[in-house]
Amino acid sequence: MRPQFILSEIWVGLRRNLSMSISVALVTMVSVLFLGLGILAQRQVDTMKDYWYDRVQVSIFLCTAKSDLPNCSTGAVTSSQRLEIRSQLAAMRPLVKDVFPESQQQAYDRARAQYPDSSTYRDIKPSQMPESFRIQLTDPTKYDVITSSFVGAPGVADVQDQRRILDPLFNVLRGLSFGALVLAGLMVLCSVLLVATTIRQAAFSRRRETGIMRLVGASAFNIQLPFILETLIATVVGSALAIGLLWALVRNGVGYLGKLLPVNFITTADVWAVAPWLVATAAGLSILTAWLTLRRYLKV
Amino acid sequence: MIRLENVNKLYRRTSAPALHEISLEVARGEFVFVVGPSGSGKSTLLRLILCEEQASSGNVLVAGRELSRLPRRKVPALRREIGTVFQDFRLLPNKDVYQNVAFTLQVLGKSRHAIKAVVPETLEMVGLAGKEKRLPHQLSGGEQQRVAIARAFVNKPTILLADEPTGNLDPTTSLDIVRLLDRINRTGTTIVMATHDEGIVDQLLKRVLELDEGVLVRDQMRGGYGGRR
């Protein structure tokens, strides 16, 4: 068939089936929107992880004279124990990227600066604050290596990973992202069923045309093509609307949050990065659904 | 052009066969009437030739192809050699006369230039020149059937199957339609026409194949509807 004839057939088909075509476009829009939200939420978690994991440190707190932790029964850390920890950390490069030693006075000053109104820090002395090594890792997920090497080592009171503080937040975000993906899955199922119903209805309402096409010797591909292209157009329109909404949401909603909070947020560049995949997924699914439905309901 | 060898057709959930041990041959350029009462198997015979149905057993050969061995993807090519006309015309109600006839060629991917040349010529041949812009509902039954014949013939098929083409028409119009088919036949197109119309069969005196309960009971050259010569 010539392209101009196919286009005119598609135009007639879309016009005749306008309400169903609009509903396919809208349901696709909602499905792709949820799918996009799920993927973008996942990217947000990754972006935040990259941002925070670059900054979080593992802290090795050393024993003070008054530590009551079991490992500090021998008293404050000795200079030889301190040296031993240093040399052990030096041996753990390149996993250990940087080591920042923090003295008791520095710890005290930082705590006072962070919590100027806290009565706890007002009454304590620098000697009560633990001395520590703040360690930055090249791969923050390998925190266990530091823990297993230093927990229980002489002069070490405790080993703490700041990542643990952030993990609950990431888990919540990951949960939201998973929820959005589950909803997206349900919506995709809805749109697949709607596309199938629409195609079935369109095939029925145009059975006279398709019957004639068949009789005069049109191939199965030529008979099915206008139906598939009509569905594809409705799906692409729906996906484009969804991407527009995602873009507006990220630009205005997330962009506004980015101005308020000191957190790295996803940008519209992330929307453009996922957009081709969203369109391709929606288009691929609609073509497959249309083809399978036509095989069943359109005699060729 | 068309050959059936011991063809049987049994539809599912029916005990009696629609066609039973049918053997016949229609040569290129012949005009054949297929007659018989309702349910005698006339339409089934045409559907087998058009490859709309497969024979339960036996061979059906059409335009050099053995249909039981014809792959599905090659069926459209066979149908391009066969034009089909029905009792209920089957025109597209929202397309005018010209568009209805051009539809066949558009579907087959013919160029606009070729369509512009062939469609008016075909409409002239069937006697519809000047009525190109009319919609089907603005035409009489006879004119609608002429559009259907033009659509079936516009691609110059080698075979034209007509399933009760005069079933919805008055006797005079019916005769006009059959004369039109006869003119098409003279261009070399093989015509197989299933009909109930006694007057037409008797008037044209062509070859008659008579079916009764799926059995070919008569194959007569220059025959009448009831076997008269």
Side-chain angles (χ1 to χ4, degrees):
Chain A
M1 283 193 289
R2 301 175 71 76
Q4 206 183 348
F5 178 65
I6 295 175
L7 286 177
S8 73
E9 286 297 298
I10 290 171
W11 175 241
V12 170
L14 283 173
R15 243 183 12 185
R16 202 192 283 184
N17 233 359
L18 188 64
S19 58
M20 287 302 268
S21 302
I22 290 173
S23 65
V24 167
L26 291 179
V27 171
T28 306
M29 181 190 84
V30 178
S31 332
V32 173
L33 183 68
F34 275 109
L35 193 63
L37 283 175
I39 295 171
L40 287 175
Q42 193 58 52
R43 280 176 91 93
Q44 179 60 54
V45 171
D46 292 343
T47 306
M48 285 173 86
K49 264 188 185 170
D50 288 347
Y51 180 83
W52 284 109
Y53 281 7
D54 271 357
R55 284 159 180 76
V56 295
Q57 296 163 338
V58 178
S59 303
I60 300 176
F61 292 100
L62 306 181
C63 294
T64 61
K66 292 187 177 170
S67 294
D68 52 2
L69 289 157
N71 203 40
C72 298
S73 52
T74 53
V77 62
T78 64
S79 54
S80 64
Q81 284 170 340
R82 199 179 290 117
L83 270 174
E84 174 59 26
I85 294 167
R86 263 181 186 281
S87 61
Q88 222 176 317
L89 282 171
M92 291 173 90
R93 286 180 193 280
L95 174 64
V96 171
K97 196 166 148 195
D98 278 313
V99 178
F100 309 99
E102 190 179 64
S103 67
Q104 286 181 303
Q105 184 61 46
Q106 283 169 327
Y108 177 77
D109 291 344
R110 194 163 56 87
R112 287 301 303 267
Q114 271 181 350
Y115 308 101
D117 302 326
S118 166
S119 57
T120 314
Y121 291 111
R122 202 179 303 141
D123 301 334
I124 61 168
K125 296 183 180 98
S127 62
Q128 289 172 293
M129 291 297 287
E131 182 185 346
S132 65
F133 287 108
R134 308 269 159 164
I135 300 149
Q136 194 133 33
L137 299 178
T138 45
D139 181 358
T141 58
K142 292 198 174 140
Y143 147 81
D144 288 352
V145 178
I146 303 291
T147 318
S148 59
S149 306
F150 292 99
V151 166
V156 173
D158 192 17
V159 179
Q160 273 185 12
D161 179 17
Q162 288 179 341
R163 214 165 55 105
R164 282 194 173 170
I165 303 162
L166 294 169
D167 274 351
L169 172 68
F170 292 147
N171 286 340
V172 168
L173 285 172
R174 207 174 285 125
L176 286 174
S177 139
F178 180 73
L181 287 175
V182 168
L183 272 177
L186 285 174
M187 287 309 299
V188 165
L189 181 69
C190 280
S191 60
V192 163
L193 293 174
L194 183 68
V195 164
T197 311
T198 308
I199 291 269
R200 206 173 145 184
Q201 199 198 35
F204 182 76
S205 71
R206 272 141 71 184
R207 63 194 183 284
R208 191 178 276 261
E209 278 94 335
T210 52
I212 292 166
M213 287 170 100
R214 198 161 54 84
L215 282 178
V216 301
S219 63
F221 176 76
N222 277 346
I223 297 173
Q224 291 170 347
L225 190 63
F227 292 94
I228 292 177
L229 290 178
E230 278 167 45
T231 315
L232 188 62
I233 288 171
T235 309
V236 169
V237 167
S239 307
L241 287 173
I243 287 162
L245 282 175
L246 285 171
W247 181 83
L249 197 73
V250 170
R251 186 168 185 266
N252 301 316
V254 179
Y256 177 71
L257 279 177
K259 283 178 198 157
L260 294 181
L261 300 170
V263 177
N264 225 18
F265 280 104
I266 50 166
T267 63
T268 50
D270 289 276
V271 176
W272 295 129
V274 299
W277 299 106
L278 292 176
V279 177
T281 307
L285 263 178
S286 75
I287 290 174
L288 186 70
T289 310
W291 181 68
L292 288 174
T293 314
L294 287 168
R295 267 173 69 96
R296 187 166 155 76
Y297 293 107
L298 188 69
K299 197 178 170 194
V300 290
Chain B
M1 182 58 41
I2 300 167
R3 193 160 83 225
L4 276 76
E5 295 166 348
N6 306 105
V7 169
N8 289 288
K9 176 66 189 175
L10 186 68
Y11 287 108
R12 259 182 270 172
R13 288 191 283 274
T14 51
S15 53
L19 292 175
H20 180 66
E21 287 295 311
I22 301 285
S23 293
L24 59 90
E25 188 160 356
V26 177
R28 183 182 291 272
E30 258 194 293
F31 191 128
V32 179
F33 285 118
V34 182
V35 301
S38 294
S40 60
K42 302 186 297 291
S43 295
T44 300
L45 178 68
L46 299 191
R47 289 171 68 81
L48 286 180
I49 296 169
L50 195 57
C51 209
E52 284 258 36
E53 300 279 353
Q54 285 286 332
S56 306
S57 66
N59 290 330
V60 181
L61 287 105
V62 179
R65 298 168 176 89
E66 194 178 327
L67 302 193
S68 61
R69 291 187 187 168
L70 193 68
R72 270 176 70 92
R73 64 191 161 80
K74 290 193 174 169
V75 172
L78 168 80
R79 289 188 183 148
R80 275 172 227 157
E81 291 195 40
I82 304 173
T84 324
V85 181
F86 298 95
Q87 181 176 353
D88 57 357
F89 322 133
R90 299 194 190 176
L91 301 179
L92 299 173
N94 51 352
K95 290 190 193 284
D96 63 27
V97 168
Y98 183 95
Q99 289 167 334
N100 262 288
V101 178
F103 187 72
T104 301
L105 300 174
Q106 286 169 328
V107 164
L108 298 178
K110 301 281 191 242
S111 70
R112 216 184 308 173
H113 179 75
I115 294 170
K116 272 187 182 165
V118 177
V119 175
E121 187 184 294
T122 312
L123 285 176
E124 175 135 18
M125 183 192 174
V126 300
L128 286 174
K131 295 189 174 170
E132 292 87 349
K133 292 282 164 213
R134 301 254 184 108
L135 288 167
H137 72 267
Q138 295 169 320
L139 300 171
S140 68
E143 286 170 330
Q144 288 188 47
Q145 192 59 292
R146 283 170 188 273
V147 179
I149 291 171
R151 185 181 62 196
F153 185 64
V154 72
N155 195 35
K156 305 284 183 290
T158 50
I159 301 168
L160 202 144
L161 303 178
D163 193 359
E164 313 257 9
T166 58
N168 283 351
L169 306 174
D170 63 75
T172 317
T173 314
S174 298
L175 196 59
D176 286 345
I177 290 297
V178 180
R179 281 192 179 132
L180 173 60
L181 291 176
D182 193 31
R183 270 216 312 283
I184 288 173
N185 174 239
R186 279 184 213 147
T187 65
T189 305
T190 309
I191 302 216
V192 179
M193 174 173 158
T195 185
H196 270 129
D197 200 324
E198 210 173 318
I200 282 171
V201 179
D202 288 345
Q203 200 152 349
L204 266 83
L205 290 176
K206 301 279 186 187
R207 181 180 169 193
V208 174
L209 301 171
E210 186 175 344
L211 292 170
D212 189 19
E213 294 185 346
V215 178
L216 182 64
V217 293
R218 178 163 63 111
D219 182 353
Q220 185 181 13
M221 301 304 289
R222 295 183 59 77
Y225 191 89
R228 295 186 306 274
R229 195 177 272 271

